[in-house]
Amino acid sequence: MKKIFAALLTGMALLNTMAFSSVEAGKLDPYRELLAQKKFTLRYENITPLSRVTNKDKISFYGKNGMAVDKASFLLHKPIEGIVVVSGDEKYEEVANAGASLCSLTQGEVVYYFTKDTSENTPVIYGTLGKKNQVSAIGKNIQAAVMSGESYADSVMTRLLLAMMPASSKGADAPVYRFVTEGKLENGLSYEDYKADNSDVFEAVRYYFNGDALVKIAAANYYVLPDGRLDGDKFIIKVKAFSPVPETAYLQLPAGVKDVTKKDKEE
């Protein structure tokens, strides 16, 4: 992994000296359209997830904008499998590892957060309060979506998908990435490189294609610490499927799960 990171940084550092193109590369266009139209199914593996940053709050898995994967003890330092299904105002997000999943179901202006134990033949669902097969809806965090953009499962996948989009389709504080170059590799894959407009942190993303199919995303960010040392992160995503057809079965609460949301007393 260190060799991969070093190679990634070396190659992407060269992007820092290149002029930005005035047009976007072409192979990402169909995927931008899927995101813009809000109609797709994405399956992926994040082989370099964020490390867990807290030993507290093991029940509440949602943060400012989407699920806080770094609070899930069973995802600590492990690759995660992800699913995102979007159809208009309905969205399902899941990150999973070792027989357990963190899940989020958005239906219009409300969101259900729950965990799913898949270690047995029949999955068991636990709601936000830890009650078996009972979930409660909370209001969608509209402010987070406006400021940071939509969420897509874990924070890394969210950032890399939003990096595809033009500034007009991003949240207010989301970085803008611009196309730098494209090329082909000896293994038959092609790629498109993007760099973020950020003067303090170097951020670059490479999208890999097999023909026209997006199959992998590699990204790196790095910065100089006050003592002069270089620090940063790398991320590698394997894209297993990115289809224009939403798997609508995910856009409803699982069978046997009861919505126990408290209703307004005045209704």
Side-chain angles (χ1 to χ4, degrees):
M1 187 62 69
K2 289 182 179 179
K3 291 182 179 179
I4 294 175
F5 189 28
L8 184 61
L9 286 179
T10 300
M12 289 187 169
L14 297 176
L15 306 183
N16 211 20
T17 63
M18 293 180 174
F20 288 134
S21 170
S22 60
V23 296
E24 302 289 353
K27 289 191 175 182
L28 269 185
D29 285 346
Y31 300 100
R32 290 192 188 94
E33 186 65 19
L34 294 181
L35 293 173
Q37 294 296 324
K38 297 184 177 181
K39 191 174 183 181
F40 64 88
T41 296
L42 167 65
R43 294 177 179 272
Y44 68 93
E45 181 183 6
N46 181 351
I47 68 173
T48 51
L50 294 174
S51 58
R52 189 164 180 256
V53 297
T54 179
N55 289 320
K56 301 177 181 179
D57 201 12
K58 293 184 179 181
I59 296 177
S60 180
F61 292 119
Y62 51 92
K64 293 182 179 180
N65 190 29
M67 293 179 291
V69 174
D70 53 2
K71 293 182 179 180
S73 58
F74 63 86
L75 296 175
L76 179 60
H77 300 305
K78 298 176 181 178
I80 59 175
E81 300 282 340
I83 301 174
V84 182
V85 181
V86 179
S87 181
D89 292 332
E90 298 181 323
K91 178 172 60 174
Y92 177 78
E93 303 163 87
E94 177 179 331
V95 291
N97 179 275
S101 302
L102 308 182
C103 308
S104 166
L105 174 63
T106 301
Q107 294 182 331
E109 300 303 317
V110 300
V111 185
Y112 299 92
Y113 292 98
F114 54 93
T115 60
K116 181 167 57 176
D117 182 352
T118 57
S119 59
E120 303 295 335
N121 292 332
T122 302
V124 179
I125 306 298
Y126 295 92
T128 52
L129 298 179
K131 294 184 178 180
K132 184 177 179 179
N133 291 329
Q134 294 185 17
V135 297
S136 296
I138 66 173
K140 181 180 178 181
N141 192 334
I142 302 298
Q143 183 178 5
V146 170
M147 295 303 297
S148 303
E150 288 292 332
S151 65
Y152 299 106
D154 68 273
S155 61
V156 173
M157 193 73 248
T158 294
R159 195 170 185 87
L160 299 183
L161 289 183
L162 291 178
M164 299 180 183
M165 304 301 289
S168 59
S169 301
K170 294 178 181 292
D173 63 358
V176 176
Y177 290 76
R178 302 191 186 280
F179 172 67
V180 178
T181 189
E182 60 186 341
K184 293 184 178 180
L185 303 175
E186 292 182 357
N187 62 4
L189 298 182
S190 60
Y191 63 86
E192 295 178 2
D193 288 340
Y194 290 76
K195 181 180 178 297
D197 288 346
N198 193 328
S199 59
D200 298 322
V201 180
F202 177 83
E203 296 185 78
V205 185
R206 173 168 288 184
Y207 299 92
Y208 293 86
F209 300 88
N210 185 355
D212 292 327
L214 179 64
V215 294
K216 185 170 70 171
I217 307 172
N221 65 72
Y222 61 88
Y223 47 89
V224 179
L225 297 171
D227 61 7
R229 291 182 297 118
L230 188 68
D231 199 1
D233 294 293
K234 82 288 186 182
F235 310 106
I236 300 176
I237 304 289
K238 295 181 180 179
V239 179
K240 297 185 173 181
F242 205 153
S243 165
V245 181
E247 297 184 27
T248 55
Y250 284 103
L251 300 176
Q252 301 294 327
L253 288 173
V257 174
K258 183 179 180 180
D259 180 356
V260 294
T261 306
K262 293 183 179 179
K263 303 298 182 181
D264 192 321
K265 293 182 179 179
E266 296 180 357
E267 293 183 349

